[in-house]
Amino acid sequence: MRIPAALPKTIVIGGGLGGLSAANALQQLGLDVSVYEKAAEPKELGAGIVLAANAMKALDKLGLGEQVRQMGSAVKKAEIRTWDGKLLVDLPVHEQAKQYGTYSYLIHRADLQSILYQNLKPGTVILGKKLISIEQGSKISAIFEKEEVVEGDFLIGADGVHSQVRRLLVGSTPLRYSGFTAIRGISHFDDVRFPIELGGGFEAWGHGKRFGFSHLGKGRIFWFAAINTPEGTLRTAQNRKKTALEHFRGWWGPIEAAIDSTKEKNILIHEIFDRKPIKSWSQGGAILLGDAAHPMLPNLGQGGAQAIEDAIVLSRCIEKNPENMQQAFRDYERMRIPRTTQIVRGSRVMGRFMQLENPAAIQFRNLLLSTMPGSIQIKRLDWLIGYEV
């Protein structure tokens, strides 16, 4: 990298996984980076996040993979079952780990954010800064509440699915409801069928519903439920545990017990949305990254992974063209938009496959899964998790 006489000052909007990953990658280049987060204080938000092999290799590039492995839980068991427990797929996780050089890991989102945060230079993240607008000239200015102005050489919008930066750059593009609402919980729970030392877990698929369970690290488990329902139906539920139990009463094995073991305060309900992919993420000296650029459904487990990949690719493009940010942005979009668009579309297709309601379609799906060889299971996702940034 040919360092300019004055280091480019980078403004990052959003202190989530994407923004913190971008800050880590750019600080590795020696750039001056500040992250502005609208939350007034750090909170343990979110639940479990899966990091497949492509995400783990990306974290290795940031020098953080081993910390994630120590704090999270390796996925050494991954089953798909029917709602009443019939085994459909025992995923070949050990063969995948051998092929890709790492297991997938599950970790609490707050723990991952903490790892990313603690690796940054002190003072990098500034809290309580809500972006109002952006002004561009020879420099780029971020204007926050109370008319506070911060000037930089370029700006990265990593402020999530409801991105203000995206709205300012490309206008309003509608959210697309997935058709299902997620209930997620974290608890301490033991089940002899899924011992903590083994790690991993299972998903059970029913009629328009599915339930997933996996170890999370630090002796905790993470579970999620995806329930087909009209938009607005479940998000206002007053008793989240009771709602989950009502939907999964009589389901296989540890499902009811796992839900029942969870404190109400540790259960979240979220409607799940994405947006239609767009063809450009940049305008002038500003660029989008992560969910601000390509919000996707969670069905392929790639939301966090793609934000981390974005951060590394963007940093490489800037390293290659430190004095020509427009070229760096064009290179970044050329490299990232085709892949993320494919994943956004693939996640919607997978969601329809997982959340089927028609009995005949479910029977055909289950037959297809139960007869698929392990080698085909690995091959069909090689483009996704076998990717190395």
Side-chain angles (χ1 to χ4, degrees):
M1 176 178 179
R2 184 163 62 85
I3 302 293
L7 289 176
K9 177 174 175 55
T10 310
I11 299 170
V12 178
I13 305 297
L17 299 184
L20 296 177
S21 296
N24 272 275
L26 293 174
Q27 283 189 352
Q28 284 184 348
L29 300 182
L31 298 191
D32 179 10
V33 184
S34 294
V35 178
Y36 296 90
E37 165 58 43
K38 68 179 179 180
E41 58 185 34
K43 297 178 182 178
E44 277 209 4
L45 297 176
I49 180 172
V50 65
L51 299 167
N54 60 307
M56 294 305 303
K57 289 183 178 181
L59 287 163
D60 285 335
K61 297 289 195 305
L62 294 177
L64 301 175
E66 286 310 308
Q67 291 183 54
V68 171
R69 291 180 178 93
Q70 291 170 17
M71 193 170 287
S73 178
V75 178
K76 296 184 178 180
K77 185 73 172 176
E79 299 176 344
I80 300 174
R81 293 177 176 267
T82 61
W83 72 272
D84 55 355
K86 179 183 177 183
L87 182 66
L88 297 175
V89 177
D90 189 353
L91 290 166
V93 292
H94 303 297
E95 288 81 357
Q96 282 184 322
K98 183 177 180 180
Q99 180 169 325
Y100 300 135
T102 180
Y103 283 98
S104 298
Y105 279 76
L106 201 79
I107 189 170
H108 195 299
R109 182 176 289 269
D111 290 338
L112 178 56
Q113 287 195 201
S114 177
I115 290 169
L116 291 164
Y117 175 82
Q118 291 174 12
N119 195 56
L120 295 170
K121 295 177 181 178
T124 298
V125 180
I126 301 100
L127 299 172
K129 302 297 181 184
K130 182 178 179 180
L131 183 73
I132 302 301
S133 62
I134 296 169
E135 291 183 358
Q136 301 205 49
S138 58
K139 297 281 188 176
I140 188 164
S141 297
I143 303 167
F144 299 96
E145 282 186 329
K146 300 180 182 178
E147 299 183 350
E148 181 180 356
V149 179
V150 175
E151 190 176 77
D153 293 288
F154 65 100
L155 181 146
I156 298 171
D159 48 342
V161 66
H162 300 289
S163 171
Q164 171 73 344
V165 179
R166 179 185 175 117
R167 188 186 69 80
L168 293 169
L169 295 188
V170 302
S172 297
T173 55
L175 287 167
R176 303 189 297 184
Y177 180 52
S178 63
F180 62 86
T181 294
I183 308 177
R184 293 181 269 200
I186 293 175
S187 180
H188 289 82
F189 176 77
D190 295 317
D191 188 278
V192 295
R193 287 161 289 196
F194 299 94
I196 190 169
E197 60 271 15
L198 182 62
F202 70 90
E203 286 192 19
W205 295 2
H207 291 68
K209 303 179 188 178
R210 72 184 192 273
F211 184 95
F213 164 106
S214 192
H215 289 284
L216 187 60
K218 296 183 178 180
R220 299 165 298 179
I221 61 100
F222 164 65
W223 59 264
F224 75 89
I227 302 166
N228 288 3
T229 184
E231 186 177 351
T233 304
L234 291 180
R235 67 184 178 197
T236 58
Q238 296 300 307
N239 189 318
R240 297 180 292 275
K241 181 192 288 191
K242 181 181 177 182
T243 299
L245 285 170
E246 287 173 350
H247 277 280
F248 293 94
R249 189 77 65 194
W251 278 47
W252 174 74
I255 292 175
E256 285 186 64
I259 296 170
D260 199 45
S261 74
T262 311
K263 295 179 180 178
E264 179 75 14
K265 68 178 182 178
N266 294 331
I267 300 176
L268 303 172
I269 295 183
H270 292 296
E271 293 180 328
I272 306 299
F273 298 91
D274 68 359
R275 295 186 195 270
K276 184 177 179 179
I278 53 177
K279 296 180 179 179
S280 176
W281 299 340
S282 63
Q283 184 186 95
I287 189 82
L288 300 174
L289 179 150
D291 281 349
H294 47 70
M296 57 187 61
L297 305 182
N299 304 306
L300 292 175
Q302 284 288 312
Q306 292 311 300
I308 300 167
E309 286 185 10
D310 285 350
I312 292 171
V313 172
L314 180 58
S315 71
R316 288 176 180 168
C317 293
I318 292 171
E319 181 180 23
K320 184 178 178 181
N321 286 288
E323 297 184 34
N324 187 346
M325 211 54 62
Q326 300 302 311
Q327 184 61 52
F329 287 175
R330 285 193 294 271
D331 290 345
Y332 165 70
E333 290 177 320
R334 175 179 53 80
M335 297 172 70
R336 294 301 298 160
I337 288 177
R339 175 166 168 79
T340 57
T341 296
Q342 184 179 6
I343 297 170
V344 169
R345 291 171 177 166
S347 294
R348 287 194 75 85
V349 171
M350 182 60 75
R352 290 193 288 269
F353 184 71
M354 292 170 161
Q355 300 288 136
L356 287 172
E357 297 183 2
N358 180 276
I362 291 172
Q363 185 176 13
F364 176 76
R365 177 197 67 191
N366 292 352
L367 178 63
L368 180 67
L369 289 173
S370 64
T371 57
M372 184 180 296
S375 58
I376 300 300
Q377 294 170 23
I378 293 175
K379 186 175 181 179
R380 71 186 182 89
L381 290 177
D382 184 67
W383 68 274
L384 185 64
I385 65 175
Y387 180 88
E388 186 164 354
V389 71

